[in-house]
Amino acid sequence: MAQVVSREALALEGGPKAVTVSSSDTWERVSPLEKQYVNAVLDDYGSAYDEIEKFEEQFRDFVGTRYALAHCNGTSTIHAAVFASGARLGKEVIVPSVTWHASITPILHCNATPVFCDIDPETFCADPEDARRKITPNTCAIIVTHVYGNPADMDAFREIVEGTDITLIEDASHAHGGTWDGQQVGSIGDIGCFSLQGSKAVTGIEAGVATTNCPDLYDRMLALGHYGRTERMWQTEKFTSLHNIGLGVKYRANPLAMAMARAQLERLPELNEKRLAWFSKLDALLGQIPGIHPQKTYPSAERGGLLLYAGVIDPTEIGAPVNAVLQALVAEGVSTTPAITPFGYGVMHLEPLFNDFDFEGLGGPWGDLPADTRRPLQRGSLPVSEHVHDTCFWLSTPVDPTDEWLEQNAAAFRKVVEHGPRLAEAIAKAG
């Protein structure tokens, strides 16, 4: 274990950095397997589109659902899911604020109203009880995000929608291979949505996939975004008269992306095993440090994908502002951002797009949204989400770092915390 370094000066003041080794991550983001699968498509160009169905079959077998539908990106899977839920003018979709904007914008694309719920302060996932309180007769869907790969409380959410016509949508974009009580995320709600974007555990650089067991929901998603392949894929009679046109939108995935994603999916169990191991080690190391609280999981959950390692900083326990702690950690060599969570993550309910941005003169769904479709919220309306946003830290997420890297990062946190009472003064001197 790393030695206590509290007597050393902070790196901000010219002291030695606590983190002197890199993550030494040897994981191949693109291995020979990805190249083999992609080149096979290029070598047999005439059969390229077969790759889409190969991936869909492989993914539905992995998740354990009846259907999987490949998309061009993760955002389009959310759009398809929200559309399939019946979202339209006058309908409401409950969604957490601690999520990426792409979990929310498709609600506006369907002319429906986003209704924001708060989160669990320890897991950062949607709070089932607050979501329950937000349900009205107009609620057609609830979206839960498995934040940073950490599954939401799926037992509670299944109970909430049981016996209703509310569609439960899992945004599993961060959580490939995560499980709840042994069941794969994406198979627990009515629809699962996965991003396969370049930063995700399974990637096609730009792609996505939606999963479901319901033929009606599948056909609705198919109708929205898959013209040119729909006629032979309909599962019900509802859309058959639209033959191969569907509703005329194309969200179809690129076959080359699907080839890459197939290889990535085969490698996912190893990636998750390695990340789970070091997440657990760092949880134990940081959990001993006052004022540093790693993101927790529910007892029934196992993380998957593990997009980011995250936690919260308690400035009261440490005796220094959060931004001062973050700046000090960066100076010590910790791979985090010196700014509080960027891009509105955690306070999406305060973003202008979902409040008072002027849509006047725009076409499409935005130009037709009645004024009361968006319900402006003020700071203080979702106190837990706002607190997590204001105190959260993110670490870079290698796959297989050394124990020395983990111990040095923990030592950096310990060093900064032990200097807490005078850290704000050091920040001020540093300019």
Side-chain angles (χ1 to χ4, degrees):
M1 297 290 292
Q3 295 180 349
V4 174
V5 293
S6 59
R7 294 182 181 178
E8 293 182 338
L10 291 165
L12 277 173
E13 299 179 300
K17 286 186 175 184
V19 181
T20 60
V21 298
S22 71
S23 64
S24 301
D25 194 354
T26 57
W27 182 262
E28 291 182 272
R29 198 71 179 106
V30 176
S31 76
L33 187 62
E34 282 82 358
K35 295 177 183 178
Q36 174 188 333
Y37 283 12
V38 169
N39 284 333
V41 175
L42 295 174
D43 289 341
D44 188 12
Y45 183 83
S47 302
Y49 283 105
D50 294 347
E51 202 66 24
I52 297 173
E53 294 184 18
K54 289 179 184 178
F55 174 78
E56 289 171 339
E57 180 180 2
Q58 187 175 342
F59 200 82
R60 67 174 178 258
D61 288 346
F62 174 77
V63 174
T65 52
R66 184 174 177 183
Y67 306 107
L69 194 57
H71 283 70
C72 57
N73 53 48
T75 306
S76 63
T77 70
I78 300 286
H79 187 191
V82 171
F83 168 80
S85 77
R88 59 190 184 277
L89 193 63
K91 292 294 187 179
E92 300 170 352
V93 178
I94 297 171
V95 63
S97 186
V98 177
T99 190
W100 190 233
H101 66 78
S103 304
I104 310 163
T105 48
I107 302 169
L108 297 181
H109 299 169
C110 292
N111 275 20
T113 297
V115 176
F116 290 99
C117 69
D118 220 335
I119 61 164
D120 180 310
E122 294 187 331
T123 66
F124 308 167
C125 297
D127 176 3
E129 290 311 308
D130 194 50
R132 190 192 299 271
R133 287 190 289 270
K134 303 294 174 65
I135 292 174
T136 75
N138 296 322
T139 303
C140 66
I142 298 173
I143 299 173
V144 296
T145 300
H146 302 311
V147 181
Y148 312 141
N150 193 29
D153 186 344
M154 295 308 296
D155 284 346
F157 279 104
R158 284 284 354 152
E159 181 182 344
I160 288 171
V161 303
E162 190 71 34
T164 75
D165 58 0
I166 297 172
T167 301
L168 180 57
I169 300 169
E170 297 179 70
D171 182 350
S173 295
H174 299 172
H176 310 73
T179 61
W180 180 267
D181 201 20
Q183 186 175 350
Q184 289 283 331
V185 299
S187 69
I188 307 164
D190 298 300
I191 301 174
C193 297
F194 295 80
S195 170
L196 307 177
Q197 180 264 347
S199 66
K200 305 306 191 294
V202 175
T203 179
I205 302 179
E206 279 292 346
V209 58
T211 54
T212 187
N213 286 310
C214 176
D216 180 61
L217 293 174
Y218 175 78
D219 272 7
R220 287 171 179 265
M221 292 191 289
L222 188 64
L224 178 68
H226 292 269
Y227 81 73
R229 64 190 300 242
T230 54
E231 192 164 33
R232 58 188 172 78
M233 297 173 68
W234 300 125
Q235 301 296 305
T236 69
E237 298 298 317
K238 182 176 180 62
F239 298 103
T240 54
S241 63
L242 301 181
H243 44 92
N244 240 3
I245 299 176
L247 294 173
V249 178
K250 183 186 282 188
Y251 281 152
R252 187 164 60 206
N254 186 310
L256 296 175
M258 293 294 92
M260 180 176 180
R262 284 206 307 121
Q264 293 266 305
L265 187 58
E266 290 182 23
R267 299 173 64 212
L268 176 64
E270 181 188 2
L271 179 147
N272 276 341
E273 181 181 1
K274 291 179 180 296
R275 280 188 171 164
L276 281 168
W278 79 255
F279 268 51
S280 178
K281 290 178 182 178
L282 195 56
D283 282 349
L285 291 169
L286 295 187
Q288 302 171 16
I289 302 173
I292 304 299
H293 302 285
Q295 181 189 24
K296 292 185 178 179
T297 61
Y298 292 108
S300 294
E302 181 172 277
R303 290 183 279 204
L306 300 95
L307 181 71
L308 289 169
Y309 185 94
V312 292
I313 295 165
D314 188 329
T316 303
E317 287 185 71
I318 296 172
V322 173
N323 67 333
V325 174
L326 289 170
Q327 289 183 54
L329 288 170
V330 170
E332 295 295 339
V334 175
S335 297
T336 187
T337 171
I340 293 169
T341 50
F343 312 126
Y345 207 102
V347 287
M348 283 295 170
H349 62 291
L350 302 180
E351 283 292 305
L353 180 61
F354 308 116
N355 281 275
D356 56 6
F357 181 81
D358 186 2
F359 291 148
E360 182 67 29
L362 296 183
W366 304 275
D368 293 330
L369 286 173
D372 61 355
T373 301
R374 293 177 296 166
R375 300 169 184 171
L377 297 175
Q378 303 297 319
R379 181 166 276 276
S381 57
L382 295 178
V384 182
S385 300
E386 293 164 20
H387 173 73
V388 168
H389 170 270
D390 292 345
T391 60
C392 193
F393 67 87
W394 295 339
L395 299 185
S396 64
T397 310
V399 176
D400 194 20
T402 64
D403 285 345
E404 185 178 16
W405 182 83
L406 295 171
E407 290 164 1
Q408 287 192 354
N409 272 272
F413 275 88
R414 190 179 307 111
K415 178 181 177 183
V416 169
V417 167
E418 290 173 349
H419 282 82
R422 51 182 295 278
L423 179 56
E425 179 184 347
I427 290 285
K429 286 182 181 178

